[in-house]
Amino acid sequence: MNMKTGESWIWWKHGVIYHIYPWSFQDSNGDGIGDIRGIISRLGYLKALGIDGIWISPMYKSPMVDFGYDVSNYREIDPVFGTMEDFLELIDKAHEQGIRVILDMILNHTSDQHPWFIESASSRDNPKRNWYIWKDGKKKERPPNNWKSPVGGNAWRYDATTGQHYLHSFFEEQPDLNWRDAELPGVFFDEMKFWLDLGVDGFRLDVINMIAKDKKFRDNPLVLGIPAFQKHLYTRNRKRSIAIAAMIRQLTDSYENRTTIGEIYAPPPGDAKTAARYLAKGKEGIHLAFDFSLIFSIWNAHSYFKCINTWYKNLPDGGWPCNVLSNHDLFRSIDRFPLRTNREEKAKVASTMLLTLKGTPFLYYGEEIGMHNTRIPKRQIRDPLGKRYWPVFTGRDKARTPMQWTKEPNAGFTTGIPWLPLNRDIRSRSVRQQEGDPASLLNHYRNLIKLRKTSEALQRGSWNPVTNGQQGILTYFRNTDDERILVILNFTGRYKSFSLHEHTYGKILFSTHRNTEEFMYFQNMQIGPYEATVCLVSE
Ligand code: NOJ
Ligand code: CA
């Protein structure tokens, strides 16, 4: 509880959330694939890291064409991850440790093996026909319009049984649900209620900005006249998607203390303005939305400043930001910083920013030990995107390799053969090794999270920039009435001087370069290369 404002501590606003890719977190039965019992066994680790909630990528029954993002039964756990009993135990044990559990909810499409789709495809007059998007082609087998899938190729597939095309925004094994149907939303919300009733704390809403399509099925405009490149004008961010997001908010608000996080994907450089539209005003929108701008930012203080500033400026009244650097679809942030030099130092600067910004931080598993993208040999590629586009694009597996717990051959992840190869650096990069090293990235994360937990200003305070990063350093205040925190981040490998005129000194709470508890004087400061320092300002 904040004594001044009376606002209580809200886990999805003031806590830190950790994203688990279940295939790769911890295997418990030696089949080489991570599972629920594996996650249960690592709750202590998450607790020690200071995590308040986990978002787990999908674990529902699935043919696994897209590694669980193709669901064939929303009410069952896929046996590869364990049983429903295991899952219920996970919720209980996580809750005992004060860790909330967020599931991934895939609304845009199901698997083509989902009984709903099998029925829908069986005849034109099947009662579930309209639950999916079926259309006559232009001249029978020619697609109804020019819509392309972001995974490549046509977004329509002709089905000879009924002589119509169905829409699949992703792979053809992932037919799109029809959110304009009168019945479907209610049916789908029942699937969500099933998990809410079991005690799940919220949902990450997969591509929520794509779920509704243009009513008139108009052609998307082309970019540079090239059919493969199009502006997704009629396939993304339709008003209906935003309206459905608001309905989901109502649904989750009928339970206590739940949350929703929308994936509002936009291609580089990201689109904060659109992400903010899903937050609407206060409770008319979802709780949180991912803006991809920080993920796509180049390694430059000014560029990060612009992303952050734009994001906050676009937030509606009462809208709360969240921030993220990596996820399971894109390269790990540590390898996105260019030139591959000083990656560890840069990771410390970036994570200090993430954990001192206003908004809920989301960490991607392994980020806290600086796990790298892994080069996957062609024959071991699992991601259908990598298989399809190799060698031009080798897919998303590189950011999905097993968590590196120890330096043993399979890194303590499995006793069997891991489903994806481990990174070659396991001998020098693991949780066990970093736990014992006070200067490690893991301890850097732990200390920062601990600091965030003890500081009202870091959890709830306003964000007031001092510099806009143009000189290579980003500096900002996080303020409440009682606490004023100054964050100094040097994004360059050079010394930078910096002065703050309105305050004289402060106490160092956290620093990559200085001793904590000492005082820092704010005139003519020399900020070291890749220095990240957090100070409590004294008047
Ligand atoms: C976004 C998910 O993050 C990605 O992994 C998946 O392939 C697509 N949505 C389709 O569900
Ligand atoms: Ca397993």
Side-chain angles (χ1 to χ4, degrees), residues 352-405:
T352 309
M353 175 179 73
L354 179 73
L355 290 163
T356 57
L357 280 177
K358 177 174 177 176
T360 317
F362 278 74
L363 316 183
Y364 182 49
Y365 85 96
E367 169 183 329
E368 72 278 20
I369 55 166
M371 267 174 64
H372 288 290
N373 292 319
T374 302
R375 207 187 67 77
I376 311 286
K378 188 181 175 201
R379 63 191 155 78
Q380 282 175 288
I381 288 178
R382 303 289 300 262
D383 178 20
L385 273 181
K387 289 185 178 164
R388 187 182 275 190
Y389 293 111
W390 192 92
V392 175
F393 177 62
T394 54
R396 299 167 291 181
D397 297 326
K398 55 169 83 63
R400 298 176 176 177
T401 57
M403 178 71 177
Q404 297 169 206
W405 297 103

Side-chain angles (χ1 to χ4, degrees), residues 248-265:
I248 293 174
R249 172 70 184 243
Q250 271 184 0
L251 169 76
T252 45
D253 274 359
S254 65
Y255 293 77
E256 224 175 301
N257 239 340
R258 314 296 164 103
T259 199
T260 49
I261 307 111
E263 182 199 18
I264 321 291
Y265 180 77

Side-chain angles (χ1 to χ4, degrees), residues 420-433:
L420 271 181
L422 285 122
N423 196 292
R424 284 216 302 251
D425 68 359
I426 49 167
R427 293 204 67 75
S428 58
R429 184 177 301 285
S430 68
V431 168
R432 174 133 354 124
Q433 176 238 352

Side-chain angles (χ1 to χ4, degrees), residues 82-211:
T83 62
M84 187 58 92
E85 285 68 45
D86 295 335
F87 181 74
L88 295 177
E89 191 179 322
L90 169 64
I91 302 193
D92 279 352
K93 295 239 163 92
H95 286 174
E96 273 167 27
Q97 305 257 26
I99 295 174
R100 292 359 189 246
V101 180
I102 299 170
L103 292 189
D104 216 311
M105 191 44 77
I106 299 94
L107 301 100
N108 182 69
H109 46 266
T110 66
S111 158
D112 61 350
Q113 303 303 309
H114 194 298
W116 295 347
F117 184 71
I118 294 173
E119 274 192 55
S120 179
S122 64
S123 75
R124 287 198 187 203
D125 54 12
N126 184 278
K128 298 196 174 57
R129 183 68 170 179
N130 203 38
W131 288 18
Y132 292 82
I133 302 176
W134 293 96
K135 288 285 285 175
D136 288 332
K138 286 184 192 154
K139 282 207 210 138
K140 207 169 160 202
E141 294 195 24
R142 275 189 52 208
N145 66 15
N146 78 346
W147 293 353
K148 296 277 185 257
S149 155
V151 299
N154 220 303
W156 295 96
R157 186 185 151 93
Y158 180 67
D159 176 49
T161 316
T162 55
Q164 283 191 310
H165 297 249
Y166 69 84
L167 184 71
H168 58 91
S169 292
F170 292 89
F171 294 102
E172 62 185 51
E173 295 88 347
Q174 294 168 300
D176 281 27
L177 286 164
N178 180 8
W179 283 90
R180 293 192 187 274
D181 180 64
E183 205 180 6
L184 189 267
V187 173
F188 201 95
F189 293 162
D190 281 345
E191 306 295 89
M192 297 176 74
K193 279 191 208 153
F194 172 81
W195 295 101
L196 292 167
D197 288 336
L198 289 179
V200 159
D201 299 284
F203 300 108
R204 176 260 190 186
L205 306 169
D206 191 60
V207 291
I208 183 80
N209 62 331
M210 294 193 194
I211 63 171

Side-chain angles (χ1 to χ4, degrees), residues 402-413:
M403 178 71 177
Q404 297 169 206
W405 297 103
T406 66
K407 63 177 182 186
E408 271 76 64
N410 284 326
F413 164 70

